[in-house]
Every structure is written in structure tokens, then in C-alpha cells.
Amino acid sequence: MAQYVRDIMTGDPVTVEPQTSVAAVARIMRDQDLGAVLVTDGDHLRGLVTDRDLVVRSIADGGDPDEITVAAACSDDLVTVRPDEELDHAVELMREHAVRRIPVVDHDHPVGIVSLGDLAMERDSGSALGDISVAKPNV
């Protein structure tokens, strides 16, 4: 039986506007225990930013994290899937584009994110990646 993206995606994604500061996004990620948020311009998906993106694309270059906007740190060359697409297609896209997260869009509106961790939990919950994906961070 086919599985669909909607069955395992994390719904109701956290979104921020492009002009949001890198520091504000980092606080959102910390407070909500997230590794990625979607960047939207109104209701249109513009990009995806990960905790790693914040460090590598903005903090490492210097400057004030309260002044640097997330627009400079986000990935804007996105691969997306629809919630009604088969999960195998999402896996193929992750492999082909070497990405760990794919935004899920419905009629051009972001409705979720499917991640490598979600896939690990669904396909092999006893794997090391599956265990890591459900573990709470030691903060």
C-alpha cells in the first residue's frame, strides 16, 4: 500500500518573513525545538532556513545577528512536494538533490515539512537515525 507525504510530514510549519532577524529566528528555533523554519513572503514560500544555515551563512561572516535578516541565510532554490504525493517520490527528491528536508506545499501554500528524520521514524524506527530523531536535546 502506498504511503503519502501527508502521512508523515510535520504539519503546521513555523514560518517567518524574509526581513526577520537571524537572532529572532534562532530564538524561535531554540524555543520551539526546531531545526528548520520556512521563510514566506505573505503566504508564498520563499525559502527554508536551518540552524546550520544561520551559522554558516550569517553568523560565521560576522555582523550583528540582530541586524542580519534571514533572507540572506535561507536556501531559496527549493525542492517541494505536495501532501498527496507518494512518499517514495519525496525520498527520490532527497537523494537527487542531497537535501534533508523538503517543504510540503498545497496550491503554492506551505503546509508542512518532511524530513529525513520523519522518514527514518516511518521506515526504520529502530535505526540510529530513528532513535536520534525522537530524542530530546540535552539543553
Side-chain angles (χ1 to χ4, degrees), residues 1-130:
M1 184 163 99
Q3 288 183 296
Y4 298 93
V5 170
R6 70 175 164 263
D7 298 328
I8 72 158
M9 72 180 198
T10 300
D12 197 23
V14 173
T15 63
V16 296
E17 293 285 325
Q19 68 274 12
T20 307
S21 75
V22 166
V25 173
R27 286 189 294 273
I28 290 168
M29 288 179 169
R30 177 200 62 205
D31 295 346
Q32 297 189 34
D33 190 25
L34 301 171
V37 298
L38 298 179
V39 180
T40 56
D41 198 352
D43 212 19
H44 176 71
L45 180 63
R46 176 171 171 178
L48 179 139
V49 65
T50 67
D51 45 6
R52 184 179 189 281
D53 292 334
L54 294 181
V55 172
V56 173
R57 294 185 180 164
S58 60
I59 304 298
D61 288 337
D64 184 350
D66 287 312
E67 299 295 323
I68 301 168
T69 66
V70 73
C74 73
S75 300
D76 55 8
D77 185 22
L78 296 178
V79 176
T80 62
V81 292
R82 294 183 322 274
D84 60 348
E85 289 189 74
E86 289 191 15
L87 200 49
D88 286 342
H89 180 65
V91 171
E92 289 171 19
L93 288 173
M94 285 180 169
R95 282 187 179 131
E96 180 181 337
H97 297 278
V99 295
R100 295 179 177 143
R101 297 171 180 93
I102 299 179
V104 182
V105 295
D106 189 16
H107 301 291
D108 240 7
H109 301 293
V111 295
I113 297 176
V114 64
S115 72
L116 189 58
D118 295 331
L119 291 167
M121 286 304 305
E122 179 62 27
R123 302 252 167 124
D124 191 5
S125 61
S127 69
L129 183 55

